[in-house]
Amino acid sequence: EYFEAGPLEVFVAHSRKKEIYMGQVGIRCKHCAVLSPARRPKGATYYPTTLRALYQAAQNMATGHFTSSCEKIEVSYRNQLNLLRENQSSASHGGKKYWADCAKAVGINEMKNK
């Protein structure tokens, strides 16, 4: 799910190489969203720097977080994702432009660095 970084996310992310700022849009696991940002497992939250980078963030979540480190996803969902991943060709993933266009369609826009 998309979300805006709040004070807690900014505080928890202070040790990142790239600074996170209030209101920055991120993508996170909707299952782990109930956990405090500091308690979320690896790969549960990404802050892509561009709309086109959403694609890679989503791919990272789909191939890493959802299939191995997510503690909140239902087992049936995890199994279904693994099955889809095994049977799906790389040509059907949509691509960077598709993910960027979808983000724009729901009102997410790129801003210049603060």
Side-chain angles (χ1 to χ4, degrees):
E1 67 183 7
Y2 297 120
F3 72 101
E4 286 186 45
L8 192 53
E9 286 85 8
V10 171
F11 177 75
V12 168
H14 74 277
S15 63
R16 292 173 45 97
K17 291 179 190 173
K18 186 108 172 138
E19 182 181 356
I20 302 303
Y21 55 87
M22 288 285 293
Q24 182 173 347
V25 174
I27 185 171
R28 68 181 171 200
C29 170
K30 73 176 190 173
H31 307 286
C32 292
V34 298
L35 300 172
S36 163
R39 297 193 46 106
R40 292 180 190 147
K42 182 178 179 175
T45 307
Y46 288 91
Y47 296 94
T49 55
T50 66
L51 291 179
R52 292 188 138 233
L54 281 170
Y55 171 80
Q56 188 60 52
Q59 290 302 307
N60 292 345
M61 289 180 98
T63 60
H65 177 74
F66 291 137
T67 58
S68 62
S69 64
C70 182
E71 301 165 0
K72 297 292 184 180
I73 193 170
E74 291 182 30
V75 174
S76 62
Y77 291 158
R78 181 187 316 269
N79 292 340
Q80 188 175 14
L81 282 169
N82 283 323
L83 184 62
L84 287 170
R85 197 173 90 192
E86 291 171 10
N87 295 323
Q88 193 171 39
S89 73
S90 61
S92 63
H93 290 166
K96 295 176 185 178
K97 184 178 181 326
Y98 171 81
W99 281 83
D101 290 345
C102 288
K104 288 177 188 174
V106 296
I108 297 173
N109 297 298
E110 289 183 18
M111 296 179 67
K112 301 224 185 266
N113 292 340
K114 285 193 164 193

